[in-house]
Amino acid sequence: MSLQNDHQHLNDILEATHAAAFEFLESLATRPAGRSPQVLPHDILPEEGLGVQRALSAFREKYEALLSASPGPRYLGFVTGGSTPAALAGDWLVSAYDQNVGSDGDSIATTVERETLGLLRALFALPESFDGAFVSGATQANFVALATARQWAAARLGMDVSEQGLWNVPPVPVLGGSPHASILKALSMLGMGRQVMEYLPCLPGRMAVDQEALARRLAALNGAPAIVVASAGEVNTGDFDDLEALAALCQTYGAWLHVDGAFGLFAACDPARAHLLRGLDAADSITADGHKWLNVPYDSGFVFTRHLALHQQVFKVSAAYLGNGTDLSHRTPEDSRRFRALPAWMTLMAYGRSGYRELVARCCSLAQQMAQGIESSPRFELLAPVRLNIVCFALSGAHVAQRDHFLQALKEDGQVLLTPTFFAGKPAIRAAFVNWSTSEQDIPLILNALEQCAREHVQ
Ligand SMILES: Cc1ncc(COP(=O)(O)O)c(C=O)c1O
């Protein structure tokens, strides 16, 4: 089967793809939320290609039933969004349009990314002094933000890391209460090293940093630069650092404030929860994800900073054949870049501020409802108050192996998928609500599945 032949039948191919996509999406509420990976026979590279239609059939036959329903309503593991209809439409068009959003000059696509960043700024009530870029997710956004912070810290010491490297820069402490694991990954990638992260005590029973401990540590630095990493939505409990207090401390002691708001930044959408982000506008850099609460398909995240010049010092790329100094490729690790902004633009325009207000409020209310169910069951124990959209709980009295056995049984049951963690030294379980399609009707299904699995699988 030749490429030319496929090209002649493009419309049929797109229709078959449409049918496959539609069937999958329609199955999301009923297919198992998660599937344990299976060992399958290896694929063999065909000498003569199959053509798209047969390749599609072969894929569906071998793999499709084993895909998880992670974009569906009861996949509550990690922090997993789905894809709104508008985001899906946008994402399909990204592949069809196939624009390279690295440099300005021959397509309006870069303008769309800049406009989308403006829409996000409005959604999060961020001042215009913040600018940024789309990246592949919050890990990459944390990487970009900390690279900019590193540039700032070295500049304070009279050095330019982007030109001279880290060779003569003393370690710059990175301080936080409960940074996400991706912060450590970013520190490793940046050559700053995971060990530069200093974990400060958190407030009793909380994942929010103890500000007095932070103040003492910053004071002890005697004016040396430091980077403070704040959580706006901690991954296990959804807890928030007090950004206003942290921003004041950073101002007093001359530290950089990075806010990781991978999902928690969306608290800004709901007037009842926007107070959790008070002080955000004093941050130096901010991370958020698109593929979580914005509900655009993987992979999508964005980074904002108030220090675009420093940001661009790190990521600038110069060559005679490349474009000018304002291109978006000077803001991200990639040079050639996917048109990631389009699904975000589509969903923001399609559902607007009120759509996201309703979505965020609903997810938070669902988390509360699930927590009430957990609290009223003797089989479970709620470990932390629900501050936003995450329920952190334990199987009463269970040790790690029992918890893991329970989660495996729950996965095999298929109605709901949850993921493990530890909280206050206990083997814990977390449920994160960010999917646009999760509704009140899912809560009894979730609670019944939990009860049944606990009854049947835990002694
Ligand atoms: C607070 C926080 N930061 C960063 C990340 C990493 O996000 P990603 O997997 O999109 O890179 C997550 C993921 O859950 C998160 O919750």
Side-chain angles (χ1 to χ4, degrees), residues 78-79 136-140 142 180 182 233-235 260-263 287 289 291-292:
F78 310 103
V79 185
S136 58
T139 300
Q140 195 73 314
N142 281 334
H180 187 265
S182 59
E234 185 277 328
V235 74
D260 181 351
F263 60 94
T287 279
D289 247 326
H291 52 228
K292 292 186 168 69

Side-chain angles (χ1 to χ4, degrees), residues 116-129:
T116 312
L117 290 166
L119 300 179
L120 288 166
R121 239 185 342 245
L123 187 72
F124 301 133
L126 287 174
E128 296 217 343
S129 47

Side-chain angles (χ1 to χ4, degrees), residues 80-123:
T80 307
S83 185
T84 64
L88 177 68
D91 206 64
W92 277 18
L93 288 174
V94 170
S95 296
Y97 296 156
D98 198 18
Q99 305 287 290
N100 181 350
V101 195
S103 53
D104 294 312
D106 60 18
S107 167
I108 198 71
T110 50
T111 301
V112 176
E113 178 160 336
R114 292 175 208 277
E115 289 299 313
T116 312
L117 290 166
L119 300 179
L120 288 166
R121 239 185 342 245
L123 187 72

Side-chain angles (χ1 to χ4, degrees), residues 131-445:
D131 209 340
F134 272 80
V135 288
S136 58
T139 300
Q140 195 73 314
N142 281 334
F143 171 78
V144 170
L146 290 175
T148 309
R150 183 186 65 174
Q151 188 72 4
W152 162 86
R156 286 260 320 263
L157 300 169
M159 285 172 266
D160 179 348
V161 174
S162 72
E163 296 296 333
Q164 299 155 345
L166 275 171
W167 311 112
N168 295 312
V169 183
V172 175
V174 180
L175 312 174
S178 32
H180 187 265
S182 59
I183 295 289
L184 300 181
K185 183 171 184 167
L187 292 173
S188 161
M189 291 193 287
L190 286 163
M192 296 167 77
R194 293 184 167 94
Q195 288 178 9
V196 89
M197 182 76 228
E198 290 183 29
Y199 291 88
L200 299 179
C202 288
L203 298 170
R206 302 272 311 268
M207 298 301 273
V209 72
D210 177 342
Q211 298 141 33
E212 286 175 14
L214 178 62
R216 280 195 299 276
R217 183 65 187 103
L218 287 170
L221 288 170
N222 289 322
I227 299 166
V228 173
V229 174
S231 295
E234 185 277 328
V235 74
N236 291 304
T237 61
D239 206 347
F240 280 69
D241 283 323
D242 181 338
L243 302 183
E244 205 168 30
L246 266 55
L249 286 175
C250 286
Q251 237 140 34
T252 305
Y253 294 104
W256 179 282
L257 179 60
H258 172 61
V259 177
D260 181 351
F263 60 94
L265 214 61
F266 286 79
C269 301
D270 178 3
R273 293 176 173 84
H275 63 92
L276 293 167
L277 292 164
R278 211 172 286 134
L280 177 70
D281 53 0
D284 294 289
S285 54
I286 301 172
T287 279
D289 247 326
H291 52 228
K292 292 186 168 69
W293 231 337
L294 190 60
N295 279 264
V296 303
Y298 290 104
D299 45 18
S300 177
F302 25 91
V303 58
F304 284 107
T305 167
R306 286 194 289 118
H307 306 271
L308 193 60
L310 275 172
H311 181 165
Q312 293 183 333
Q313 276 172 25
V314 180
F315 292 100
K316 79 177 172 206
V317 52
S318 316
Y321 80 98
L322 291 174
N324 62 49
T326 59
D327 288 342
L328 291 169
S329 57
H330 298 292
R331 300 186 185 186
T332 58
E334 306 85 11
D335 285 348
S336 296
R337 305 173 63 247
R338 184 173 167 82
F339 193 4
R340 269 193 197 101
L342 181 54
W345 188 93
M346 285 287 288
T347 197
L348 288 166
M349 295 304 270
Y351 311 117
R353 203 186 280 283
S354 68
Y356 280 91
R357 186 186 310 137
E358 187 278 330
L359 170 58
V360 170
R362 169 159 46 96
C363 287
C364 295
S365 157
L366 294 174
Q368 294 284 357
Q369 291 169 39
M370 178 173 169
Q372 279 161 19
I374 292 290
E375 273 192 303
S376 64
S377 166
R379 295 182 194 279
F380 300 104
E381 178 194 355
L382 189 68
L383 294 180
V386 174
R387 289 199 165 76
L388 193 68
N389 62 329
I390 294 187
V391 186
C392 183
F393 64 102
L395 199 52
S396 303
H399 49 67
V400 177
Q402 284 172 314
R403 189 261 330 255
D404 292 349
H405 179 67
F406 168 77
L407 286 177
Q408 182 61 26
L410 199 61
K411 183 166 24 168
E412 277 158 25
D413 171 71
Q415 293 186 75
V416 53
L417 188 122
L418 304 178
T419 43
T421 190
F422 274 88
F423 183 77
K426 287 190 182 176
I429 300 172
R430 39 187 296 296
F433 289 85
V434 287
N435 188 295
W436 68 274
S437 66
T438 313
S439 74
E440 290 206 351
Q441 287 160 6
D442 291 303
I443 299 300
L445 294 177

